[in-house]
Amino acid sequence: MIALLKSDLYRTARSRWPWVVLALVALATLGSAILTIWWPLEPGIVYDGLTGRAGALRLAGRGSGIVLVSTIAPFVAAHLSCADSDSAFDRTLLSSLRGHVAYFAEKYLLTVLLSGAILIAYLAFSGLGALVTMRAVTNVEPFWQVAAWAGEGWLAACVYALIVLLVGQLTRIRAIAFIVAFLLLSGAVEQGFFTFLLLVSNVFGLNWGPALEAALAWAPYVTTAAVGNGAVDMLAVDVTGFAPAVRALIVCVPLCLACAGLGTLVGARRDLA
């Protein structure tokens, strides 16, 4: 699997699309900060912390927040889901179950690494952007809070990316993977699922409303929104009795492992059959 990973990383670095993604991240973060030279920030404005909506890395309302990472990662996964012809190892040459398992597992690992690379690019360009604006930062969070905030953003990106990769690998149709990415990012999948259950509850008088409302707070979409609000809100305990960060660990980590495991086993057995 290490040889597969090295091959895909090499080919990724030599492709054009990663540099397009990097340019988009730079434009949405550093580019928006450079624009403040011609479109200045209001006099006397300061950044309230690093991670919040008025934080330094958010560029005081200009540019994109950390949700940008979880927005781009699924589309990267959609591209990788059917990129078999770009791989140095053709699956038709892998005759054993072990070889197929290594192939599919490497794709999930590659997606996780690329999601982390997008996060690092976001943090780097946003940090440079904050320096460009030359504004004071007050109420700076401790380093561990900033690290937890960034880690949760990476986890949210991985959840959506691995779901999209799973769909793309099972269907082998890149268009479907892109459609799923759009639906996930708009919240249509999660909200549509809970709306359907609520409709069933109302039709049959099952009184699922309170339970569904409580369950919705554990959806990855809600966690992603909490990450966008900053480290303080993400780590604060809410009405559920848990902080959004804790809910993300409880739900998102098993979901990532389930997607990777299901995609690897189903894909490998299907190809051997």
Side-chain angles (χ1 to χ4, degrees), residues 9 14 19 29 36 85 96 119 140 177 189 206 217 237 254:
L9 288 175
R14 292 180 61 86
W19 304 106
T29 51
T36 60
S85 60
S96 67
L119 171 68
V140 178
V189 173
L206 301 176
V237 177

Side-chain angles (χ1 to χ4, degrees), residues 141-229:
E141 302 96 327
F143 175 77
W144 70 269
Q145 283 192 13
V146 179
W149 172 75
E152 291 288 338
W154 175 59
L155 180 59
C158 289
V159 169
Y160 289 133
L162 294 184
I163 292 175
V164 171
L165 183 62
L166 172 64
V167 172
Q169 287 188 332
L170 293 182
T171 63
R172 291 181 177 175
I173 302 176
R174 184 172 291 167
I176 294 180
F178 277 108
I179 292 172
V180 170
F182 275 112
L183 293 176
L184 285 173
L185 295 176
S186 65
V189 173
E190 296 163 67
Q191 293 182 8
F193 174 71
F194 283 101
T195 301
F196 171 75
L197 292 181
L198 183 60
L199 179 62
V200 172
S201 173
N202 293 336
V203 170
F204 294 99
L206 301 176
N207 195 27
W208 288 351
L212 291 175
E213 184 178 353
L216 181 61
W218 293 76
Y221 180 78
V222 178
T223 301
T224 303
V227 173
N229 290 333

